Amino acid sequence: MTNDEFRRYGHQVVDWMADYLENIREYPVLSSIQPGDLVDRLPAAAPERGEPMDAILEDFEQSIVPALTHWNHPRFLAYFAVSGSPPGILGEMLMAALNVNGMLWKSCPAATELEQVTLSWLRQWMGLPQEFFGIIYDTASIASMHAIAAAREMADPEVRTRGNTGRLVMYTSEQSHSSIEKGGITLGIGQNNIRQIPVDESFRMRVDILRERMEADRQASLSPFLVVATVGTTSTSSIDPVPAIADVAEEYGAWLHVDAAYGGAAAVVPELRGVLNGAERAHSLVVNPHKWLFTPIDCSVFYTTRPEILRRAFSLVPEYLKTGENPRAINLMDYGVQLGRRFRALKLWFVMRNLGHDGICAIIRSHIGYAQKLAALIRSHRDFEVAAPTPFSLICFRYRGSDDDNRALLEKVNASGKAFLSHTVLNGRFVIRLAIGNIATQWQDLEEVWDLVKQTAAREQGDDAGLPQAVN
Ligand code: PLP
């Protein structure tokens, strides 16, 4: 590609992106393709000769776009939003153009130092103490895995050479994200040594049971080494009682990790800072700017007050990567399993600077406000119920019918292409989840979705005599 062509297609692609974001509501949120359709549509082998960009862009439009789930859609309300923003997209484009590898300070001083600066800014916004050292990983799953590895290193430094003994035990709630258990599996802790502590009626970890289990394990000559609390659980966004959990973790000398992948973003809003109460006592915490801080995936921020332990767990420097010692030259490869690393701080810096603290707070406040308003509407409807508290911007609700009725309702709503909601199971019952977090979501979008849900339930009632009447 010549430089002139690069310039021309670059402009064309940016124009496409601007049109896409402007007209996003015209796309169906969920693709209607069937599994395997795209594979069948595309050639089985790569082209022998280079093809013109016009043909590639045409195929992108005709084959790839119809197979997309539009996470940018303001009525994408499933899972937790992975919401980008225009400044984040521009940062991501420049990252690709620069294509630096920030494994060492020397391999790209800008990547290393901008990461320190942006994560210090974010730490201040979240009200976390200065001792928290920050590093960016790709996802919260990987960040939490690093927390488990650091906790293991603190409890049993021999593990690096000798391997696991099978005596280390970790604790998390039964509502915590599956990535915590996966991290424990990956690091050889073993599923038998991962305790899923029951929750209370608001889906928060039961601290009395945590203490009982840790004590029982200690009596059995096992070593409780890590407690993982969650601020904003995946199913309901519940907030574990972190201060009380910190007391217990401290009593047993265990590492405390806080998974605030989603909920941590709310702490950026000054009046919501309390959601992280107790987290200042944690050894580590993860928050995902790619969830609710409008930074394109992937960008997960890991903070720890014990970076030296993280480094001890992971540092292994082959000759070809040795550099001179300078305390200000941090080599980020020493703080994790990966060597190569993308310049993710660039897009976060673009987002933080362009949206500003005020801008980000305003969007998060609006999402929480919409959730409160919608939850009140759902609660006041005789055919629906809210199934869990709504501390952030996630609403769990259900139609007052059977699980099958709720499953059918969700499927119909999603098949309409007008919205995408997800589900969970709470206390053995199927529950619909509606998570607000997209930068483009307006109250009108949510009114439309609520109307769609009510109308679909009413229509289902016509199809199925077993369903009660849905009314306004
Ligand atoms: N932790 C919580 C509380 C989550 O809700 C999620 C995903 O939704 C994760 C961790 C995993 O996030 P990631 O996709 O960044 O690994």
Side-chain angles (χ1 to χ4, degrees):
M1 187 181 286
T2 65
N3 208 37
D4 280 348
E5 284 171 328
F6 177 74
R7 192 181 306 280
R8 178 152 59 86
Y9 289 113
H11 283 286
Q12 200 173 312
V13 166
V14 172
D15 280 343
W16 188 91
M17 290 188 214
D19 289 343
Y20 169 69
L21 293 177
E22 191 172 333
N23 302 317
I24 186 68
R25 283 186 176 77
E26 289 167 20
Y27 291 85
V29 190
L30 274 177
S31 166
S32 57
I33 75 158
Q34 296 303 307
D37 281 358
L38 181 61
V39 170
D40 293 345
R41 191 183 166 106
L42 298 178
E48 209 43 51
R49 290 213 193 98
E51 297 182 72
M53 275 311 293
D54 286 329
I56 300 170
L57 291 173
E58 177 67 16
D59 284 349
F60 167 74
E61 190 92 59
Q62 297 306 320
S63 299
I64 308 299
V65 174
L68 290 173
T69 295
H70 292 281
W71 287 71
N72 283 310
H73 200 295
R75 279 177 260 113
F76 180 105
L77 302 163
Y79 317 123
F80 283 130
V82 165
S83 186
S85 59
I89 297 169
L90 295 176
E92 183 85 46
M93 283 166 64
L94 283 175
M95 272 165 72
L98 299 170
N99 200 30
V100 294
N101 179 343
M103 58 191 187
L104 301 166
W105 179 87
K106 189 176 157 188
S107 71
C108 187
T112 306
E113 297 198 8
L114 194 63
E115 193 155 317
Q116 288 172 259
V117 171
T118 49
L119 301 196
S120 165
W121 289 1
L122 182 60
R123 178 185 56 68
Q124 292 167 49
W125 280 6
M126 293 172 70
L128 289 171
Q130 206 177 350
E131 300 78 72
F132 277 88
F133 162 90
I135 180 165
I136 301 179
Y137 298 124
D138 55 358
T139 57
S141 304
I142 296 299
S144 290
M145 191 201 74
H146 283 81
I148 301 168
R152 187 180 63 167
E153 174 69 26
M154 182 170 87
D156 181 7
E158 295 299 309
V159 83
R160 223 182 117 116
T161 40
R162 186 235 300 122
N164 287 316
T165 59
R167 312 200 68 76
L168 295 178
V169 185
M170 58 186 266
Y171 306 79
T172 189
S173 97
E174 59 189 19
Q175 286 288 319
S176 74
H177 191 261
S178 50
S179 57
I180 305 305
E181 189 175 349
K182 261 198 195 181
I185 295 169
T186 308
L187 291 165
I189 302 304
Q191 275 176 303
N192 290 342
N193 289 335
I194 303 172
R195 308 275 183 261
Q196 313 264 355
I197 304 299
V199 293
D200 64 15
E201 66 293 345
S202 296
F203 308 100
R204 297 172 302 199
M205 191 196 288
R206 287 270 306 270
V207 185
D208 53 334
I209 301 180
L210 171 69
R211 182 180 271 109
E212 274 169 33
R213 296 301 302 268
M214 290 178 86
E215 187 51 34
D217 287 331
R218 189 153 75 177
Q219 296 295 331
S221 302
L222 296 171
S223 301
F225 81 107
L226 164 70
V227 183
V228 180
T230 311
V231 172
T233 57
T234 314
S235 269
T236 71
S237 77
S238 60
I239 304 171
D240 283 337
V242 181
I245 293 172
D247 287 344
V248 181
E250 229 164 75
E251 205 177 309
Y252 286 84
W255 183 286
L256 173 62
H257 174 59
V258 175
D259 178 355
Y262 158 71
V268 162
V269 183
E271 68 273 19
L272 299 175
R273 228 173 229 186
V275 301
L276 283 186
N277 275 350
E280 72 286 351
R281 295 167 61 193
H283 295 75
S284 59
L285 174 143
V286 59
V287 58
N288 271 4
H290 76 224
K291 276 190 168 39
W292 206 9
L293 288 172
F294 318 112
T295 307
I297 192 168
D298 50 4
C299 185
S300 181
V301 172
F302 180 73
Y303 286 111
T304 179
T305 53
R306 307 301 303 270
E308 78 289 358
I309 296 183
L310 183 67
R311 191 167 190 274
R312 221 168 62 202
F314 286 104
S315 184
L316 188 68
V317 187
E319 184 54 41
Y320 83 103
L321 293 172
K322 286 191 177 142
T323 56
E325 289 293 316
N326 180 325
R328 294 207 68 187
I330 294 173
N331 294 325
L332 290 171
M333 70 160 194
D334 289 339
Y335 297 86
V337 78
Q338 71 187 87
L339 172 61
R341 50 178 30 251
R342 309 174 68 222
F343 190 0
R344 298 189 186 93
L346 190 65
K347 58 183 170 180
L348 182 58
W349 189 56
F350 272 42
V351 171
M352 292 178 82
R353 291 193 58 188
N354 188 250
L355 298 184
H357 190 214
D358 279 2
I360 289 180
C361 288
I363 304 166
I364 292 177
R365 279 191 194 108
S366 75
H367 290 168
I368 293 175
Y370 296 158
Q372 301 301 333
K373 204 162 148 183
L374 185 55
L377 285 178
I378 296 172
R379 223 175 271 118
S380 66
H381 194 295
R382 80 160 199 218
D383 293 335
F384 290 88
E385 62 183 323
V386 171
T390 305
F392 295 108
S393 61
L394 164 68
I395 307 164
C396 290
F397 70 98
R398 63 191 313 281
Y399 182 73
R400 290 186 194 275
S402 67
D403 280 359
D404 283 346
D405 292 339
N406 277 281
R407 220 173 269 120
L409 172 60
L410 180 64
E411 270 171 29
K412 292 242 157 74
V413 166
N414 288 345
S416 73
K418 292 181 185 144
F420 180 26
L421 280 62
S422 60
H423 79 278
T424 188
V425 171
L426 298 176
N427 301 321
R429 295 191 314 172
F430 187 94
V431 167
I432 300 174
R433 284 174 83 261
L434 187 156
I436 304 162
N438 190 292
I439 194 166
T441 304
Q442 301 291 323
W443 174 242
Q444 202 190 331
D445 292 302
L446 300 167
E447 277 183 316
E448 281 175 33
V449 173
W450 176 223
D451 284 344
L452 176 67
V453 168
K454 285 183 298 183
Q455 283 158 15
T456 310
R459 216 172 303 121
E460 280 283 290
Q461 184 269 334
D463 293 345
D464 176 349
L467 278 178
Q469 180 87 49
V471 293
N472 281 317

